[in-house]
Amino acid sequence: PVIDSVKNETGVKVIRIELYDNTGLANQLKIKVWPTIALYKDGALLWEKNGQIPKKEIIDEVKAGPAIASSSK
């Protein structure tokens, strides 16, 4: 429900990946913990966090846009 709410409030594209059905992709993306939320722009990882994340924190990161790229590394 949180991700759907973030999608509706921000207009970002959301892709859900079932890790158990896509272990190769999970390995490629180096996802070891479920749930993992990652923000990408033009194929580049901007932000990633594991576990339950409050909706406000996700929305704040989405709104930060490209500025988060330099602060998350």
Side-chain angles (χ1 to χ4, degrees), residues 40-52:
Y40 289 85
K41 183 167 184 168
D42 299 327
L45 178 64
L46 300 179
W47 178 82
E48 182 178 70
K49 194 159 184 182
N50 302 317
Q52 292 184 343

Side-chain angles (χ1 to χ4, degrees), residues 1-54:
V2 170
I3 297 301
D4 290 332
S5 181
V6 170
K7 177 183 174 184
N8 292 336
E9 289 183 35
T10 63
V12 297
K13 182 177 181 180
V14 173
I15 299 172
R16 295 173 193 250
I17 299 169
E18 292 296 330
L19 297 181
Y20 296 112
D21 296 334
N22 297 287
T23 55
L25 180 58
N27 289 333
Q28 181 182 353
L29 297 174
K30 298 178 182 151
I31 295 174
K32 305 285 186 215
V33 178
W34 180 88
T36 296
I37 296 181
L39 299 177
Y40 289 85
K41 183 167 184 168
D42 299 327
L45 178 64
L46 300 179
W47 178 82
E48 182 178 70
K49 194 159 184 182
N50 302 317
Q52 292 184 343
I53 306 161

